[in-house]
Structures are given as C-alpha cells and as structure tokens.
Amino acid sequence: MSALAMGGGGGGGSMPSETAPQYDPAVEYRAGLTALQAQRWADAEKSFRHVLAVSPRDANTNYLMALSKIGRSDYKGARSYLEKAVKLEPAMIPAHEQLGIALAKLGEADKAKEQLDWFTARATTCGTACADATVLQQGAAAVQAAIGAGKQARVAVPGLLMFASTQAGDGAYLAAVALINEHRYNDAILSLRAAEQVFGPHPDILTYLGFANRKLKRYDIAEAYYRRALAVAPGHRGATEYYGEMMLERGDVAGATRMLAQLDAQCTFGCAEADELRRWIVRRSNAS
C-alpha cells in the first residue's frame, strides 16, 4: 500500500486539508494584541502570521506584525510589513512614523527623509486645526530625531489605541451600524475602521465596510472588502448576499446567480439572505 493510503508518518490517515490547523483571524488578532501588549514578541508574531495567512491585505495586521518585529530588533523585517501597511492604508500615520524610524535605524536616511516629507505634506494639507494635527507633529518630530541619530536611534514599540477594549470595539461597531441606517456612510466607515483596529479582519466588519463603500458607489473598494470577508469566512451569508446585490448593480446577473446558488446550498430550509437576493434578481429580470 502507498504511504498516503496507510496514513504516512502521521498515523491518522487523513488528508492534509482535513488536518491542517484552522485559525479564526479575529481570535488570532486579539491574541496577537494581548501578546504584543505583554511584550511577548514571538507569540505576537505567530498570531499575526496566522491572520495574514488568511487576510494578507489587512493594513492593521501588517502594522502590528511590524511592531512584533521591532520588539525583537528585527528592523529589516519590520520594514517590509510597514511598507505594505502604508501601501494598503496610505493615511496610516503610526505606520509612516515607525517606517521612518526603522529606515533611519537601518542607515537609510534618504528614504527616512521621504517619510518626513510625507508628514510635512500631510501637516500642510491638514492645517493646525484638524484632528490629526498633534499626531502629525509628534510623528514628524520622532522621524526627524531618528534621522539625526541614525543607526543609534532609539526604537520602542508605541503604546497605541490598538489596545482598546473589546467594549470600545463593540461600541464603534454598533455606532457604525446606526450610521449606516442613517445613510451616513463616510462616518460609518470611520467607526468600522476603529472597530477593525480592535477586532482585526472580522467578517462582519469587512462586510459592512463593503456595504458602506458600495453605497458610496466605490464598487472596486467594496468588492475587495466582500472578497476579504469571504476569504475569512467563506460561508458568511451577509457578505454573499451583499456581494450578489452589488454584482446586479454592476450588471453581472450571472455572478449574482452564482452567489444565490451558494446561499441556497447553505440554507437548506431557506434563509432571509437567499430570499432577499432572489428578490433582487427577479426585479432585475422583470426590469430587463
């Protein structure tokens, strides 16, 4: 008999896909935050690696992974995650600050200066009265000091709002839902991002981020959020329904029909999400 048929060296006889670890990104994200706060850098890195395996385009997790690397004095490793974080979320001020400091620490003063220039440009656009004025000023000062110190720059993992309680995260999420019901989608997105900092790539948060962006006609951004939600939770009925509705809005009837088929396969005895998407498809067909 083949090694596979006999179970190989593992003795279980199961397929690798059946025995591979299954990680809940939201749980791993919170575990990573707890480890980071306790300065258990290796544990934090392990948890954030599990999150990124499912949701590699999550800017918050890339940033937190970088902080885990910084805690272990791995500035080169931190740099790549920080660069990805600011690419995914260009307005992420703490990531720009830590990137500038890490680059200075690595002896790349010219590139660190690019981050300082980013702070200068952002501060000019922001003005002295905007909400981020103080944070931008502090970030610029930190990067400037690091450039001056060069490889001798002192680096410390910052204590940030990322350690907000789950209650604060729940509050931000509930506020976002209320704002969506009031059609205040831009405000809802801000609240959802605050919740995302606490809970990471949670499928409910990603789904609502997709929904709010869709209502603002930002279809490409909405699609990216729906896809991320379904990558984290393939059976998420809300994301499947809303993604199908958006497909109809963009004229993709076949795509919406595929989403409905997925819902029907999940909802043996029917469910509200399948019924609602079916109504959308019928209305679309009647209007054609």
Side-chain angles (χ1 to χ4, degrees), residues 10 30 64 67 72 99 101 108 113 121 140 144 151 174 187 192 213 222 236 238 240 247 255 260 274 276 284 288:
R30 289 300 301 175
L64 296 175
L67 295 189
R72 302 177 74 179
L99 178 57
I101 295 171
E108 301 187 38
K113 179 64 165 51
Q144 181 70 71
K151 293 183 178 181
L174 292 174
D187 292 334
L192 287 167
N213 278 284
H236 195 281
T240 305
M247 287 176 171
L260 178 59
E276 182 63 16
R284 171 77 186 202
S288 298

Side-chain angles (χ1 to χ4, degrees), residues 165-177 191 194-195 199:
S165 67
T166 55
Q167 289 84 355
D170 285 339
Y173 177 78
L174 292 174
V177 175
S191 287
F199 296 116

Side-chain angles (χ1 to χ4, degrees), residues 31-239:
L33 282 180
T34 300
L36 198 60
Q37 190 172 25
Q39 298 186 2
R40 293 187 282 108
W41 313 120
D43 291 341
E45 187 174 330
K46 181 179 179 181
S47 291
F48 294 134
R49 187 179 297 113
H50 292 162
V51 178
L52 291 172
V54 180
S55 188
R57 293 183 59 79
D58 186 73
N60 288 321
T61 307
N62 277 281
Y63 172 63
L64 296 175
M65 174 64 97
L67 295 189
S68 304
K69 295 283 188 181
I70 289 171
R72 302 177 74 179
S73 300
D74 180 5
Y75 307 114
K76 185 175 181 180
R79 171 187 178 173
S80 62
Y81 287 103
L82 290 167
E83 288 176 337
K84 188 167 185 179
V86 298
K87 182 178 180 180
L88 292 169
E89 186 56 64
M92 186 179 283
I93 296 172
H96 282 283
E97 177 181 338
Q98 293 301 313
L99 178 57
I101 295 171
L103 289 167
K105 184 73 175 175
L106 290 168
E108 301 187 38
D110 290 344
K111 290 190 176 295
K113 179 64 165 51
E114 292 176 5
Q115 296 306 308
L116 182 60
D117 292 341
W118 180 89
F119 276 100
T120 302
R122 186 66 184 263
T124 300
T125 302
C126 180
T128 57
C130 83
D132 291 330
T134 300
V135 180
L136 288 167
Q137 184 179 12
Q138 293 171 345
V143 174
Q144 181 70 71
I147 293 172
K151 293 183 178 181
Q152 303 305 313
R154 297 183 62 183
V155 183
V157 175
L160 300 174
L161 182 61
M162 64 186 183
F163 298 127
S165 67
T166 55
Q167 289 84 355
D170 285 339
Y173 177 78
L174 292 174
V177 175
L179 289 165
I180 285 174
N181 290 334
E182 295 172 7
H183 309 294
R184 295 168 57 188
Y185 301 115
N186 281 312
D187 292 334
I189 288 170
L190 293 177
S191 287
L192 287 167
R193 285 179 174 169
E196 190 181 23
Q197 287 183 338
V198 177
F199 296 116
H202 192 290
D204 292 346
I205 296 172
L206 295 172
T207 296
Y208 271 125
L209 280 167
F211 183 86
N213 278 284
R214 165 189 157 204
K215 289 299 183 180
L216 293 169
K217 308 299 183 184
R218 301 169 183 166
Y219 291 124
D220 289 343
I221 295 174
E223 181 173 11
Y225 277 120
Y226 288 145
R227 284 181 174 274
R228 286 178 58 195
L230 291 170
V232 171
H236 195 281
R237 295 204 299 264

